Amino acid sequence: ALTLIAEIKDLLIADEMLIELSDKTRINEETLRQEFRNIKKKSVAKASGIKTSDAVPLRKINEEYLLLCALITFPEKSDYVLSKIDINDIKDKTVVSLFKRIAAVKDKRDLAIILSDADEGERKIFTELSVEPGFDLEHVDRIIDDCIERIKKKKLDERISSARESDDLKLINSLLLEKKKLIEETAL
């Protein structure tokens, strides 16, 4: 059944079929989705002539993707998210591009407009995240805040590492104090 669903081009229909298959077979939906991704990956690799072992690994869900997904799923939250992050802290160039496109859209209720001049990679990520968010949608506010905090912590850790390499003790101490403050704020 998963092989047949993997051949469907419309991701929304495929998603609904996965949910239905999970209900009827009583197999955990996430297990089915993982197996579905594996089958899809193999069929894409086979169609493009790539050996399965050489195929590009599936995208790892991280803070950047979760935030982007939150914006795609809940566009009304984009002003808040974009005000809390520095787009330059985002590592993935495609995600950065999509964040910039979202920031440029005046009417945030219709983010599909950004796909009109998006490249293939941007379209793929946008579609994938809109179909499979990667988190429980009921907890979107908590997910957003957690992702913003984790991005801040990563940036601070990078700055601390850089300061340690330069042996600037004054800078290291001030950054460690900043990290302690950030951890205390997060704990509240």
Side-chain angles (χ1 to χ4, degrees):
L2 289 174
T3 305
L4 292 173
I5 295 171
E7 293 178 15
I8 297 172
K9 301 290 184 216
D10 188 332
L11 294 177
L12 293 174
I13 293 172
D15 184 59
E16 287 188 30
M17 292 181 87
L18 285 172
I19 293 169
E20 188 176 333
L21 181 62
S22 174
D23 288 343
K24 289 187 186 230
T25 62
R26 299 190 196 286
I27 296 174
N28 180 295
E29 187 177 333
E30 188 53 40
T31 303
L32 283 176
R33 287 185 184 284
Q34 184 59 46
E35 189 61 31
F36 174 76
R37 286 188 289 267
N38 292 340
I39 290 170
K40 195 82 166 157
K41 178 181 166 185
K42 288 177 185 175
S43 68
V44 168
K46 187 176 179 182
S48 61
I50 302 172
K51 293 179 189 169
T52 306
S53 60
D54 297 337
V56 177
L58 292 171
R59 167 185 55 76
K60 178 185 168 197
I61 296 290
N62 61 22
E63 299 85 17
E64 299 172 3
Y65 285 98
L66 288 174
L67 276 178
L68 180 60
C69 182
L71 296 187
I72 291 169
T73 309
F74 298 94
E76 66 275 9
K77 300 191 181 291
S78 59
D79 289 334
Y80 172 76
V81 171
L82 293 170
S83 72
K84 295 287 186 181
I85 63 169
D86 180 358
I87 292 178
N88 297 321
D89 294 340
I90 306 297
K91 306 291 185 223
D92 188 299
K93 290 180 171 102
T94 306
V95 174
V96 169
S97 177
L98 285 168
F99 270 119
K100 287 180 179 177
R101 289 177 183 277
I102 291 170
V105 172
K106 290 185 180 20
D107 183 9
K108 303 285 194 242
R109 292 172 293 171
D110 185 22
L111 290 183
I113 195 166
I114 69 172
L115 295 178
S116 62
D117 60 339
D119 67 30
E120 187 62 32
E122 293 168 340
R123 281 192 200 104
K124 181 180 177 187
I125 288 175
F126 188 96
T127 304
E128 185 178 333
L129 292 178
S130 63
V131 170
E132 189 169 331
F135 62 87
D136 186 356
L137 299 178
E138 292 180 16
H139 304 290
V140 67
D141 292 325
R142 192 186 83 221
I143 296 291
I144 288 171
D145 290 336
D146 288 350
C147 289
I148 290 170
E149 291 305 317
R150 288 179 71 186
I151 289 172
K152 285 180 182 177
K153 284 179 185 175
K154 282 183 179 181
K155 182 179 180 182
L156 192 54
D157 287 340
E158 289 173 4
R159 290 176 56 206
I160 290 170
S161 177
S162 178
R164 284 185 175 144
E165 288 176 9
S166 68
D167 290 328
D168 187 345
L169 293 178
K170 186 176 179 181
L171 179 59
I172 293 171
N173 285 333
S174 71
L175 291 172
L176 288 174
L177 287 173
E178 189 178 331
K179 183 173 183 177
K180 180 181 176 187
K181 182 181 173 186
L182 184 64
I183 291 170
E184 289 171 354
E185 288 173 359
T186 304
L188 298 176

